[in-house]
Amino acid sequence: MQSQHAAQRPPHSSPDGPVVDVEQAEAALAEHYPRLVRLAYLLLPPGTGRSRRVLTAHALAQRALPRGRTAAPVIPAQSAQTVPSADAPQAAPSAGPDGDPGYALVRLQVVRTALRTGGPLRRALLSPPLPRVWGLRLHPRSGGADGLALDQRLSALSGPARAAYVLRGLERLADDDVRKVLTDAGVADPATALREADGVPAEYRLLDSPEFDPCSLQARPTDLLRRRRHLKASLTAGCALVVCGALLGLPGDGWGPDGGAAPPYAQNPAARAALDPAELTRLSPAVWKTSARTDFSVWPARGDLTGDTDLLRRALAVWARPGGRVQVSATPGTPSGGPAGPPQLLYAGTVDSARVVILHDGLRIARYAEPKGGVRGAVLDFARVDGADRAGASAVVLSRVDGNVRYLTAPWVREARHRDLREPDADATDLTLTDGVTSPLASPALRAGSCTSWNVLELTDKTGTRLMTDLAELVPARLTAGRPGATGGASGTEALRAWAPFACSLASVRSAGVRSVNAWAFAEQPLPDGARGPADWVCTRAETWRGGGSRVLAQFHTPGRPSGTAVAKAEDVPQCGARAPRVLAGVLWKSPAGTWYLLAAGSRGTRSVTATGGVEGTAQGNLLTVEAEQGAQADLVGTLKDGGSITGLG
């Protein structure tokens, strides 16, 4: 069956556009600054280097204000609530400023200036003065293979074509509106730019990924060696020898006893105690059996290197002050500073080709890893785990090698298996557990290409069986199923079958600090024209460790198709959650007879559903089926049995 996106009608405005004063433009710039900086970052050519590209993007956004009252261009903002397609890829949600002439004006200025600074000669002559960041290189967090591939494809486009692609995907403008923006920005041939942009796959959801967010940055030092040389040049020969001996460390690979850590900066007693391996908290293997708590705080210290003082000292020192060669990552909302006091040791041992240390400070899990052959190439990962319960503290990732992942499981875990979430009737495969460490299993988290399977971890203890999935983070996310407020584990037959068509949608919440994901089958809908049915409506909601940033997908699945399709998405909304266990969504669907229909479904408790706009219709109950035209649009409103109302998700 086929289905199709429906575009939102543009708002009416005068041909000349509204007049915008400086105050209105400044308000729009301040309110939507992260969005404008992301737009500028995407428009700039990647060849400028990531750090300079970040600073230039901020400079373009900060200098987008007009000098006086100006007529805003008549360009509609992104569409509001629409009925999307079940086949077309979904653009990421955005808090777009619908109909704001001030935003349209500063956006046009950002596009115009970004295009002018695109070429090498013009870049040198026209680039605005950059914000100054001394001694640091700033760049967005690294994304996955899909984001890198998209960035490479965009770098091959001309400036106008890249702008056309970004305005389509990030701003959600129709081609006529993209053509108008490009013309106003000074592009001589917008039609050619649009055709060139058609050559890049429409992976618009990636434009909202952290990889293209120049407001969420990682910092690294600049050329430390050059700065050190400048310092040495100003010292006497005797002082230079002392400094060289202290900073360059021991012979061999050139690292001191603290490995990849930067020079010390704190000498107070509390900071020194936090870096002392002898002060680490170590629990015996039996503590969890008598404790009232079942979380990371009662995990024992495990591994074959728990007595390696040098390794533990390096791990603590790098945590407190990671050097420029250490790769550091943290889930969203997780601070990456040093521990406030001596942390708890959970693991220290050899895993595959690395030495790994797992530490817990009550708020975070920290994972330090270094190659067995030396300390160069050390990595440091953080994940927030405050408020973890028995299920949330079931496992942590020990290593990822060649597409496989190993977990360290909680001491209460008795059995570990793995299964393909897309094959609910297949048996799970046993994993060996050695001192809590699982044998390796294929991870879906970093796999590129099409999704043909999704491996999950199945853990069993005396309270039951839980499903966990790797989402490219240090702590796997728990999978649940059921109505919000009454969810249960996803290991049962019915729950596995509910999850199967939607397993691959978990890729949309990778690296987002997700704690759990619930799948709620909220409606079944008969299909018209004798089509095989019914269709399933499922709402998935990803909750995060930090509280904010929850992501909701309304998904639609018809019999005979291997996977469901996301037809609506939203972020930080109560729908589909315990606070508001209700949802309404719709899709344009083509029957076997070739007729297009608007199908809409609400959750239990919906008294009626009404569609307005390009499709008109009302139905009693929680289901609506009405004939529609291909490409039609509709706004959905549901009336609840308690007298309230609900609008379509998105």
Side-chain angles (χ1 to χ4, degrees):
M1 299 305 102
Q2 300 180 24
S3 53
Q4 179 169 319
H5 277 288
Q8 181 75 11
R9 291 184 299 247
H12 296 291
S13 61
S14 65
D16 295 331
V19 174
V20 179
D21 56 26
V22 176
E23 289 77 13
Q24 185 178 357
E26 182 181 16
L29 176 61
E31 181 179 358
H32 306 293
Y33 181 78
R35 181 187 183 89
L36 291 165
V37 177
R38 183 188 290 267
L39 175 64
Y41 183 84
L42 287 164
L43 292 178
L44 290 169
T48 58
R50 298 180 71 191
S51 180
R52 183 175 181 84
R53 190 176 170 194
V54 165
L55 297 179
T56 304
H58 281 273
L60 295 181
Q62 292 171 17
R63 290 163 177 80
L65 285 179
R67 296 184 180 277
R69 292 168 61 85
T70 308
V74 186
I75 302 295
Q78 69 177 47
S79 61
Q81 168 62 31
T82 65
V83 179
S85 162
D87 287 335
Q90 296 296 302
S94 177
D98 297 346
D100 184 352
Y103 176 79
L105 180 62
V106 292
R107 176 180 63 192
L108 174 61
Q109 182 62 22
V110 168
V111 174
R112 178 185 293 125
T113 311
L115 291 176
R116 288 178 179 175
T117 58
L121 178 59
R122 289 185 172 183
R123 191 179 309 136
L125 297 177
L126 300 177
S127 290
L130 302 182
R132 295 295 182 184
V133 182
W134 295 104
L136 290 176
R137 288 194 299 267
L138 304 177
H139 56 84
R141 297 201 309 271
S142 297
D146 293 342
L148 177 60
L150 177 60
D151 199 29
Q152 291 174 342
R153 293 189 186 103
L154 292 180
S155 68
L157 297 178
S158 64
R162 188 164 54 249
Y165 185 93
V166 173
L167 289 171
R168 277 175 174 171
L170 185 67
E171 294 297 295
R172 301 182 184 178
L173 297 184
D175 282 1
D176 288 343
D177 302 323
V178 172
R179 189 177 292 107
K180 179 67 166 62
V181 172
L182 293 179
T183 300
D184 290 345
V187 174
D189 192 356
T192 299
L194 286 166
R195 286 194 298 271
E196 185 181 349
D198 289 337
V200 178
E203 298 175 312
Y204 298 139
R205 62 181 177 81
L206 297 175
L207 299 180
D208 276 294
S209 66
E211 184 171 0
F212 299 117
D213 183 4
C215 291
S216 180
L217 301 173
Q218 290 182 326
R220 294 291 183 271
T222 54
D223 190 340
L224 297 178
L225 183 59
R226 184 180 61 185
R227 290 160 56 189
R228 186 179 297 166
R229 285 171 178 167
H230 290 168
L231 177 62
K232 291 177 183 177
S234 63
L235 300 177
T236 64
C239 290
L241 292 175
V242 174
V243 171
C244 288
L247 295 183
L248 296 182
L250 301 177
D253 62 5
W255 292 75
D258 289 345
Y265 60 86
Q267 297 297 333
N268 66 77
R272 294 175 65 89
L275 303 181
D276 186 353
E279 298 294 328
L280 285 171
T281 301
R282 303 167 186 251
L283 300 185
S284 71
V287 168
W288 69 270
K289 298 179 181 179
T290 57
S291 173
R293 302 179 61 170
T294 48
D295 55 21
F296 291 110
S297 67
V298 295
W299 278 32
R302 288 174 285 181
D304 60 325
L305 298 178
T306 55
D308 190 333
T309 302
D310 291 338
L311 171 64
L312 298 178
R313 178 179 291 108
R314 288 195 299 271
L316 291 169
V318 171
W319 183 357
R321 49 184 199 282
R325 297 179 182 177
V326 178
Q327 300 179 34
V328 181
S329 70
T331 58
T334 304
S336 58
Q344 176 187 354
L345 177 63
L346 304 186
Y347 183 87
T350 304
V351 184
D352 297 320
S353 60
R355 293 185 290 259
V356 178
V357 178
I358 305 290
L359 301 165
H360 175 238
D361 69 349
L363 171 67
R364 302 162 294 174
I365 292 288
R367 174 185 176 272
Y368 170 81
E370 64 182 32
K372 285 195 296 186
V375 296
R376 293 185 182 275
V379 297
L380 181 64
D381 302 315
F382 295 97
R384 184 170 174 175
V385 293
D386 51 317
D389 55 9
R390 187 186 189 97
S394 294
V396 298
V397 171
L398 269 185
S399 72
R400 288 191 183 90
V401 178
D402 298 330
N404 295 322
V405 60
R406 288 183 188 266
Y407 294 96
L408 176 66
T409 61
W412 50 83
V413 171
R414 298 176 177 178
E415 297 177 348
R417 301 181 181 89
H418 72 91
R419 64 164 60 246
D420 184 356
L421 193 58
R422 296 196 61 181
E423 300 292 340
D425 297 325
D427 293 333
T429 302
D430 290 337
L431 295 169
T432 60
L433 280 177
T434 305
D435 197 20
V437 179
T438 69
S439 52
L441 66 149
S443 171
L446 303 178
R447 180 181 54 209
S450 60
C451 177
T452 57
S453 63
W454 193 277
N455 280 350
V456 294
L457 179 67
E458 190 174 274
L459 300 177
T460 301
D461 60 29
K462 69 176 183 179
T463 65
T465 300
R466 301 176 180 87
L467 287 189
M468 316 293 288
T469 183
D470 183 14
L471 295 179
E473 297 180 327
L474 193 53
V475 179
R478 186 189 180 195
L479 301 181
T480 60
R483 181 178 176 83
T487 60
S491 59
T493 301
E494 184 177 348
L496 287 173
R497 289 175 178 169
W499 257 112
F502 311 103
C504 291
S505 69
L506 290 167
S508 66
V509 292
R510 287 183 294 196
S511 303
V514 172
R515 178 175 188 164
S516 64
V517 188
N518 183 62
W520 172 33
F522 66 89
E524 289 186 346
Q525 185 167 20
L527 297 174
D529 291 351
R532 179 187 170 193
D536 295 321
W537 287 93
V538 170
C539 186
T540 57
R541 181 182 179 94
E543 300 287 1
T544 68
W545 287 98
R546 64 189 183 278
S550 59
R551 300 185 183 184
V552 179
L553 291 177
Q555 306 198 58
F556 178 78
H557 178 245
T558 55
R561 296 178 64 90
S563 300
T565 301
V567 301
K569 65 193 306 183
E571 187 170 340
D572 285 325
V573 297
Q575 286 93 326
C576 199
R579 292 180 179 272
R582 55 182 180 268
V583 66
L584 172 65
V587 67
L588 289 176
W589 177 83
K590 187 179 182 181
S591 75
T595 304
W596 285 93
Y597 288 90
L598 168 63
L599 305 181
S603 53
R604 187 178 64 188
T606 303
R607 175 178 295 172
S608 65
V609 179
T610 300
T612 58
V615 182
E616 303 283 344
T618 300
Q620 297 301 308
N622 68 323
L623 303 176
L624 171 68
T625 302
V626 58
E627 286 192 23
E629 296 292 332
Q630 179 180 2
Q633 59 178 1
D635 296 320
L636 299 175
V637 177
T639 301
L640 304 178
K641 292 181 179 179
D642 62 6
S645 63
I646 184 173
T647 58
L649 182 71

